[in-house]
Amino acid sequence: MKRSDWTWGLTAGLALGLLGLALRGAGVAYPLEGLFAQITYALGTPAVFNLLHGLFGYGELAKNLAFAGTALAWLLAHPLLWWAARRSLPLGLGLAFAAYAASAYALPGGWLAAGLYALIFAGLVRVLRRRPRAPAPAPDPARRESLRTLALLAAGLALWGQVRAQARAAWDKIAGLWPEQIGQSRLYVVSKNPAFLDPDLRGKPYALEVTGLVGQPLTLDLEALKALPSADLVHTMTCISNPVGGDLIGCVKWRGVPLKALLDKAGVKPEARFIVWEAADRYTESIALTELPAEALLAYAAENPQGGKFEDLEPRHGYPTRVLLPGRYGMKQPKWLTRITLTDKETTGYWAQRGWSRSAVIRTMSRIDTPKRNARLKAGEETFVAGIAYAGGRALERVEVSLDGGKTWQKAELRPPRAKYAWQQWALPWKPEKGDHTLQVRAVEVGERAQDPTAREPLPDGATGYHTVRVRAG
């Protein structure tokens, strides 16, 4: 391979990658997106997922690194394709089509998109390889310094965003304790897609289909859905990948159409056994009709705690509609819902296909919000050990706190829940003695069913173990 193969190949790969975003907006399958889906399919298995998130944490970093790796693989493939096309244009065209088809085959219209991309690639080869070489520009130290400055600025903004996201004082003015209810602006975001590939259906025609084993198939736009009788639901959403002590959890008040009312309107046939959800990003999930919670909701709005007004869902939280299934992890509750199908056969969900939990029933959890890990406290000065606890709608009897690493336990004050599926705040006043202290928390359900103390990774069935925070008083 010549240096020009690398230069023009990388140029073509970058051009096609950027062009694909515009074509994707016009409804053309995006091979880079398909390649990312295949890579994350492999990375989504529990063993690999736990390893990656053990290294990179449970935020967006691991997914963004996966997309960066996908983009790098995409770029590096194009010098090889360019080399092949330089030797024989039909050969390069055929290999390009095979590569794009392998990437996009699972996407709607993937084969047609592969042909289109292959033709565009061939056109780039014909145009670019005939252009005279331009002398390479001299390195620009000022430009490198500008890029370095921008990188530092981006890191600083990200850190500032994390600082601003810290909880404000709530119950009895306990600084650092998360409030009883948050708004969607503060709710965690998890998606199978990089954020810029998530659906944004604002201003676009929308229709929800209710089909399959029903007596009266329905097609409803957002206004028709909002015209149906509505219900409100205080619901704690939590991700199955939330680690012990993590913040992939939030209690929000939602408004929408009760799923039972929607199914009654469609008339579910007796032979129907499962309900299947399909989303605009091709995410699928299902649940047995016998397991559908009575409070299940097709949500289209969330309450803003600052003022108490309901607002349309934000695009990142599923505008215009999403499913809410109390008692289940978020993976069972798709965003950007487009179709509900009643069927007699179960459909294995997107993440369950990769080895994650099929039932996704929420495990009992508790978390210390304050003091933070490695906090420096004043010996003899009263403070609070406080946080939140949740059992997926199962009633909690009490929350207990250990100030000595689990040797002894004290009962904390447990605030009554706002609703069945709301998390609960708890607090224990404490005057620390001088020295190092290891704090732990555990929740106990009614009936003395204690939180599982076994330390387990989040996947495949949800994290277990006691949240532990070490602090020093002096």
Side-chain angles (χ1 to χ4, degrees):
M1 291 177 60
K2 298 180 179 180
R3 179 179 296 179
S4 61
D5 294 326
W6 286 98
T7 301
W8 293 120
L10 292 174
T11 300
L14 180 61
L16 282 171
L18 296 175
L19 176 63
L21 287 177
L23 294 175
R24 182 180 183 271
V28 178
Y30 189 21
L32 185 56
E33 180 180 4
L35 181 61
F36 173 76
Q38 294 177 55
I39 290 176
T40 53
Y41 186 99
L43 299 180
T45 58
V48 178
F49 183 94
N50 286 328
L51 173 63
L52 291 176
H53 287 271
L55 294 173
F56 302 116
Y58 288 88
E60 293 288 291
L61 179 59
K63 182 174 66 179
N64 291 338
L65 287 175
F67 186 80
T70 303
L72 181 61
W74 169 274
L75 289 175
L76 292 179
H78 282 80
L80 296 174
L81 295 176
W82 190 276
W83 171 80
R86 180 173 58 80
R87 295 176 65 89
S88 169
L89 188 58
L91 173 63
L93 181 63
L95 290 177
F97 175 78
Y100 301 143
S103 298
Y105 75 92
L107 302 177
W111 294 101
L112 292 175
L116 175 62
Y117 273 82
L119 290 175
I120 295 174
F121 175 75
L124 288 173
V125 172
R126 291 179 63 87
V127 171
L128 294 179
R129 75 177 181 176
R130 292 180 179 177
R131 296 184 60 183
R133 287 188 178 181
D140 186 351
R143 181 175 182 272
R144 289 201 302 269
E145 187 62 31
S146 298
L147 291 174
R148 190 179 297 112
T149 302
L150 288 174
L152 291 173
L153 179 60
L157 290 174
L159 180 60
W160 174 243
Q162 293 180 4
V163 171
R164 290 192 63 188
Q166 297 300 315
R168 297 180 179 180
W171 185 33
D172 292 336
K173 298 182 180 180
I174 301 174
L177 175 62
W178 279 53
E180 283 190 292
Q181 178 185 325
I182 63 174
Q184 59 177 329
S185 62
R186 190 173 172 185
L187 182 64
Y188 74 93
V189 177
V190 171
S191 166
K192 72 177 182 66
N193 320 297
F196 72 95
L197 293 180
D198 279 341
D200 186 350
L201 304 181
R202 292 175 298 183
K204 299 178 181 178
Y206 173 75
L208 173 68
E209 297 180 47
V210 183
T211 186
L213 297 176
V214 295
Q216 179 62 52
L218 303 175
T219 301
L220 303 169
D221 62 17
L222 183 57
E223 293 306 313
L225 286 169
K226 289 185 176 181
L228 297 175
S230 66
D232 295 345
L233 175 67
V234 178
H235 170 54
T236 300
M237 181 78 69
T238 182
C239 183
I240 196 169
S241 62
N242 193 33
V244 172
D247 60 2
L248 300 182
I249 184 171
C251 185
V252 178
K253 188 174 183 179
W254 310 83
R255 175 168 290 173
V257 180
L259 275 167
K260 184 180 184 303
L262 195 62
L263 297 181
D264 288 345
K265 183 178 179 67
V268 179
K269 293 184 178 180
E271 58 267 33
R273 296 179 54 214
F274 295 93
I275 182 168
V276 180
W277 325 108
E278 296 180 53
D281 65 343
R282 297 178 295 280
Y283 187 93
T284 57
E285 251 300 349
S286 68
I287 190 172
L289 282 170
T290 55
E291 298 177 10
L292 192 67
E295 301 90 346
L297 198 71
L298 181 65
Y300 51 70
E303 186 180 59
N304 185 343
Q306 308 299 322
K309 293 183 178 180
F310 280 90
E311 302 169 346
D312 286 344
L313 299 182
E314 297 175 358
R316 61 181 184 157
H317 288 305
Y319 177 88
T321 61
R322 72 168 305 158
V323 179
L324 298 179
L325 297 179
R328 307 288 176 135
Y329 285 114
M331 59 176 281
K332 299 288 284 189
Q333 306 172 63
K335 301 181 279 189
W336 312 296
L337 193 66
T338 57
R339 182 181 290 112
I340 299 174
T341 304
L342 281 299
T343 177
D344 59 352
K345 296 180 181 179
E346 182 179 11
T347 296
T348 304
Y350 179 88
W351 292 117
Q353 294 174 22
R354 293 150 174 79
W356 300 18
S357 173
R358 297 176 75 93
S359 62
V361 174
I362 291 176
R363 293 176 177 269
T364 301
M365 59 78 65
S366 54
R367 185 184 73 192
I368 299 172
D369 289 349
T370 183
K372 299 296 183 185
R373 182 174 58 180
N374 298 326
R376 299 289 181 136
L377 308 176
K378 291 185 178 180
E381 182 175 298
E382 185 173 80
T383 185
F384 282 93
V385 183
I388 55 99
Y390 183 57
R394 302 179 296 275
L396 290 178
E397 177 71 36
R398 63 185 182 276
V399 168
E400 298 176 335
V401 177
S402 175
L403 305 174
D404 52 17
K407 297 177 182 178
T408 61
W409 295 87
Q410 302 180 43
K411 183 178 178 181
E413 182 179 357
L414 181 62
R415 192 172 190 179
R418 293 191 59 194
K420 179 180 178 180
Y421 294 104
W423 63 18
Q424 291 177 252
Q425 296 171 314
W426 58 266
L428 178 73
W430 177 44
K431 290 183 178 180
E433 297 179 356
K434 187 175 181 179
D436 295 330
H437 302 272
T438 300
L439 314 179
Q440 289 186 316
V441 61
R442 66 186 182 191
V444 181
E445 298 175 33
V446 171
E448 295 300 313
R449 181 182 175 183
Q451 178 181 339
D452 189 343
T454 308
R456 294 191 184 92
E457 296 287 352
L459 299 177
D461 299 310
T464 59
Y466 297 158
H467 188 204
T468 303
V469 172
R470 293 175 177 83
V471 298
R472 172 170 292 183

